[in-house]
Each structure stands twice: as structure tokens, then as C-alpha cells.
Amino acid sequence: MAVSGEAAETATDTATSIEVDTGTRYQRMLGFGASITDASAWLIRKKMTPEQRLALLQELFGRSGNGIGLEFTRLTIGASDFSRHHYSLDDPPDGRPDPQLQHFSIAPNLDDVVPVAREALRINPRLQVMASPWSAPGWMKDSDSLIKGKLRPEYYDAFARYLLKYVDAYAAEGIPIFALTVQNEPDYEPADYPGMRLNAPARARLIGDHLGPLIAQRGKGPLIFDWDHNWDKPQEPMAVLSDPAAGPHVAAVAWHCYGGEVAAQSPVHEAFPGKDAYMTECSDGTWEPVLSGGLPLQARELIVQTTRHWARGVLFWNLALDEKGGPHAGGCDTCIGVVAIDSKTGAVTRNNGYYALAHASRFVRQDAYRIASTATADDGLDNVAFQNSDDGSVVLIVVNSNPQPRTVAVSQQDRRFNYTLPASSVATFRWTPRPRHL
């Protein structure tokens, strides 16, 4: 079988065995990608020439040539920390409550996020777009501000309608939103950028009594993903999924990587096997252990382990930031985009997140199944396998986190090969299995 790389001559008995079993299937994949934040879209639109912009978007979302085929992205509903200023999509001039949403407008997105997302969809019509709010409009909150505070219960209905007005406005711009979360990181109130605390009982009431029934009446989606926060509090999504009113309206749990361990995804899946899992945010950055862990750390945690623990899709955070990790208005000043765009020249630098994503997105296509493969994490080798639905090809991603080269002996049916991975490296193998003979 053809392999992306040359087979090593190392003897099999010195290698770590990985057996791939196409007969055992797990979740069906939606895709890999990163978020088109306000900062990302603004840089792509305003700091690149048309030629640079098209080349970058074709590389990120296309499959021909050097395209890495990203098929999943996330947008922010209103401002996040990676916006140039703070805003919601319903900011009345007088600051007074607007429960009828007469001042709702996506005008702040029309010059950057909308055209970039639309162009990404033109390049890859299979691109799946989800969206998350960082805060309800300030007038809906007990803080009367985008900063901190909780959603007032009397505005649950207005907020549900606000989210669906966003979905419909984006659909009118040619950008279908297939899924929503009701709040980014609902267990955190940042001090200097939009955020909102929305605990499990509040999310259950918002979803069960308002947003879920509204979507059911529409009969056309979007899906609702709960949580959109870290691995360290799995009891939060469990509580919403257990709620008799909210649970039936929730399609999946969305996870972030900044606290806890990725294994937390599996007990939630086992308790609610009918609900999907997604990794919806994790940022590259200049902090430890991300800085020293580099590419192997990101590939191991965010590609291999998230999917081994049932994630159907994986999203890194900012698709693009500038050479200083911006622009941003509060929040993270040590984050790095999947790519960096030089704000003076438009030149592109590809960061570790780019290569971690590309090892999966370039080879694992939408609707592929994760399939069984021998777990090898105890010796610093991690792997995950998939089988594409379109052509039957098998993809195996192997991460070597060791400071020394390591050899793997891969088998699938009667096919075998050895390969030596360099120290601290990632390798992707792709082959077409022989047909089974009855």
C-alpha cells in the first residue's frame, strides 16, 4: 500500500505495533478548522492584497494544490476579545432595552466577517459554520454591560430570538449556520472583554423553555450545542442534558481545552451516547506547556485525543492574528493564530496550529469514520485512524512526543509497514485497503 513517507528498515520486533481495524467504526467526522474571528477577518480583508487574500483562503479552505481543506469554522455573535472594539448586534442609540429587537443589525460584520466567510464557503461549499455569543446585549444583563453579569430571566425569550435573528441574517448573506451555542465559556466572567455567566440551570431554562421550542417551530435548525467551555466541569453539560425540557433540544456538547483533561469527553458521551461531542476552541500561544510542547503537543491533544474521545469536529481558536497576536480588545495577549499575517506586508507565517490541523484536514474528509487502532500513549506515541467514506482510503495520524526517534509497525488486514518517526514529530499515512474476499 502507498504510504506518505518511506518505510523504515527497522526490524518489527523493535517497533511499537499499531493495528488498524476498518471493521470497527466510531463517530462520523464533520471536519477540522479554526474560528473566523473579527480579528482574523479584518486582517484578511484589510491587511492583505486581493491576490494575497485569495491565495490564503484557497490554501486554508481548498483541497487542490497546497490546500489543507478546512471544513469547519466558528463565528462570534457580536464581539469577542478578538474584536477591535466591544459591541453587540442590538445596541440601541439611547441604551434602553429593545425586547422587540428593532435595533438588531449585523452591520458590524458586513465589511469583514461576512465577506471572508462567504469566500471560504465559495472555495469549499462543504464548510460547516457554527456560531457562539460572548455576551447578550448589555441591556439584557444584570450588569447593564457587555462586561460581566448574568442574563436577566425576563430577557430569555428576547435573547433566544436574538440568536435566531443572527442565524437568519447570516443565511440571507449566503452563510448557513448549522449550529449554535448559547454562550461562550459560560462559567467565566472576564474583566475586560464581553462575557456572561450562564450556569447549567439558566442554560436549561433558556434552551428548554425558549430557544429549543423556537427552533422546533421553525423546523429548519440550527442545532444547539451546550457548554462551550472546559473539560474540568463535565457536570455542567451533564446537568443540561439531564434536564427533561432542555436535553431533547441539545444535539452535542462543545468543549474547550483550557482546563481539565480531554478524557472528560468520554464519560459524558457514555452517559448520553445520542449526543455528539465537538472541540470548539483551543488556542496556540506563547505560554507553557504550549510553547515548549509545540506541534506534537497540539497534534496529540487536539487531533488525536479529542477524536479518540468522540469529537466529531475540532476547532482551533483564531484562524489568523497579526505579528503581535492581535488585534484584540482585552483578553489574551499571548495567543497565536493558526497563521500570522504581517500587518505591514500581508505576508503569511504558518504556526504550529496550521500544521497540526493540516495533518488531519488535508487527508480526513467530511463524513469519514473514526476507526479502531491500537492505543499507544504509554510509550510517548499517540495515534488515531479514520476511513474516508468517498474512496475508502484509510488515514492514520501518529504523534511521537519522545525526544528520540521511534519506530511504528502498522498493520491492517494483511498489509504491514514500518516507519521511523523523528523525535518530536507527527506523521500522517494514507492508503487504500485491499478489498475483503469472502
Side-chain angles (χ1 to χ4, degrees), residues 12-64:
T12 302
D13 60 2
T14 66
T16 297
S17 296
I18 300 174
E19 182 178 357
V20 177
D21 177 11
T22 58
T24 303
R25 290 179 166 183
Y26 301 103
Q27 75 271 26
R28 201 165 196 171
M29 299 303 297
L30 180 124
F32 301 85
S35 293
I36 302 174
T37 57
D38 289 0
S40 300
W42 183 79
L43 286 167
I44 292 168
R45 284 281 293 173
K46 303 299 183 181
K47 297 299 180 178
M48 306 186 85
T49 67
E51 294 77 16
Q52 288 174 319
R53 179 165 59 247
L54 180 60
L56 176 61
L57 292 176
Q58 286 179 332
E59 178 182 347
L60 291 171
F61 295 100
R63 286 203 172 273
S64 60

Side-chain angles (χ1 to χ4, degrees), residues 175-366:
I175 304 166
I177 305 296
F178 91 99
L180 291 172
T181 62
V182 297
Q183 175 60 37
N184 173 73
E185 299 189 345
D187 196 49
Y188 178 53
E189 291 178 80
D192 59 356
Y193 66 91
M196 184 170 73
R197 193 172 294 275
L198 199 66
N199 64 15
R203 295 197 311 280
R205 297 287 60 77
L206 173 62
I207 294 169
D209 299 342
H210 300 279
L211 183 59
L214 284 175
I215 291 175
Q217 290 171 15
R218 289 158 61 94
K220 58 178 182 180
L223 301 176
I224 299 173
F225 294 174
D226 185 51
W227 190 219
D228 214 7
H229 208 166
N230 293 334
W231 294 316
D232 57 358
K233 292 191 176 179
Q235 68 273 17
E236 277 275 326
M238 293 274 276
V240 174
L241 293 176
S242 298
D243 185 89
H249 295 293
V250 176
V253 176
W255 299 96
H256 293 188
C257 73
Y258 309 116
E261 300 295 332
V262 63
Q265 294 177 185
S266 282
V268 177
H269 171 81
E270 289 160 7
F272 297 92
K275 308 298 184 181
D276 292 327
Y278 290 86
M279 162 54 61
T280 54
E281 186 186 314
C282 196
S283 184
D284 194 355
T286 59
W287 60 87
E288 293 295 346
V290 174
L291 181 62
S292 60
L295 173 59
L297 173 68
Q298 295 194 39
R300 180 181 73 239
E301 293 292 314
L302 302 180
I303 303 299
V304 173
Q305 293 301 332
T306 59
T307 55
R308 273 195 170 271
H309 290 284
W310 298 100
R312 291 192 60 206
V314 174
L315 286 171
F316 282 51
W317 185 206
N318 291 277
L319 183 67
L321 293 176
D322 67 18
E323 70 279 7
K324 297 179 180 179
H328 63 95
C332 181
D333 58 5
T334 55
C335 289
I336 295 173
V338 169
V339 300
I341 296 173
D342 189 294
S343 58
K344 295 182 175 62
T345 67
V348 174
T349 301
R350 293 152 191 84
N351 293 321
N352 285 327
Y354 172 94
Y355 294 105
L357 283 170
H359 268 281
S361 62
R362 188 173 173 88
F363 305 99
V364 181
R365 297 176 180 262
Q366 200 169 100

